[in-house]
Amino acid sequence: MSGATRTLISPATLARPRGKAVYWSVFTAVVLLFALAFLFPVYWMVTGAAKSPDEIARTPPTLVPRHWHLSGYTDAWDLMQLPEHLWNTVVQAAGAWAFQLVFCTAAAYALSKLRPAFGKVVLGGILATLMVPAQALVVPKYLTVADLPLIHTSLLNDPLGIWLPAVANAFNLYLLKRFFDQLPRDVLEAAEIDGAGKLRILWSVVLPMSRPVLGVVSIFALVAVWQDFLWPLMVFSDTDKQPISVALVQLSQNIQLTVLIAAMVIASIPMVALFLVFQRHIIAGISAGGTKG
C-alpha cells in the first residue's frame, strides 16, 4: 500500500493477543534495563555513603547496607567545608550563566536578525572553534586571564576568571541563532511596523518567544560550570575560593571513603534538583529547536 508507514512490528501482529503480550514484555524489559543502567550507579553512591568503612571495602560488596550510618553525610558537611565550597560554586555558576545568557543572546540575535556585514564569516569562525580541542585552549586562556590585555589585570582567584571565559560558548550561541532563525518573520515585521526598535523587538517579542531555548542554554551553562574541574583548579589557587568540584579532590587526601562518597552525593543534589524542576523546559526547548516556527 502506497504511503503506508513501515514499522518493526506490523499492526496486524500487534492486534493479536500473543503479539501484544510479546511486544509489551520486550518493551518493559528494555525500559527496566535502561532504568537500571542509569539509576543503579546513583543508588550505589547513595547507599555507599551509608555503609561503614569496613563494609564498603568488603569483597564481595553488599547490595544493601547491613547497618545504615548516616553520620557520613554530616561528617562530609563539616569536615570538607561543603557549605563554603557549594556557595563558591553557586556564585561562579550564576555569574557565568548571566554573562553567557546576555552576550550569547545578543550575538545570536545580531547574527540572525540584524545580519551584519561579514556575519556568515564571523559565524563560521565561531563554529570553527568547536573543532579545536578544549585542552588546546587552556594555556592561551590561562595566560589571558593571568594578564588581561590592555588593562594588565590578573583575574586569578577572582570569579571573573570563570565568568568571562564562559561567555565564549560557540555551541550555545549557535543553538540560540538557529532558534531565532525559525521565529515567524510576520511577528517581527508587525512589531517593526508598530514602531518598535531592534532592542525593543528583542526584549518584548523575541525573548518571550524564546523561553524554551533559553531554558536549555541555561541548563547547559550551569552544568558546564558546576562539573568543570581543570579550569577552576588553574584559576583558584586559594583553597577558600575553590568550587566544590576542585575541593572534593583537594580535601580528599585524609578523608574516609564513605565521607568522600557522601560529599559527592551532596554535591550532585543541586544539579539533579535543577533538572527535575526544569525538565519540562528542557524537553520543550529541544522540540522547539527542531521545528519550524
Side-chain angles (χ1 to χ4, degrees), residues 90-109:
V90 169
V91 171
Q92 295 166 24
W97 164 77
F99 273 84
Q100 192 172 136
L101 210 61
V102 171
F103 287 101
C104 285
T105 300
Y109 177 71

Side-chain angles (χ1 to χ4, degrees), residues 37 50 89 101 112 114 123 188 197 225 244-246 265:
T89 311
L101 210 61
S112 175
L114 304 185
L123 179 62
L188 304 181
V225 176
I244 190 68
S245 59
V246 178
V265 174

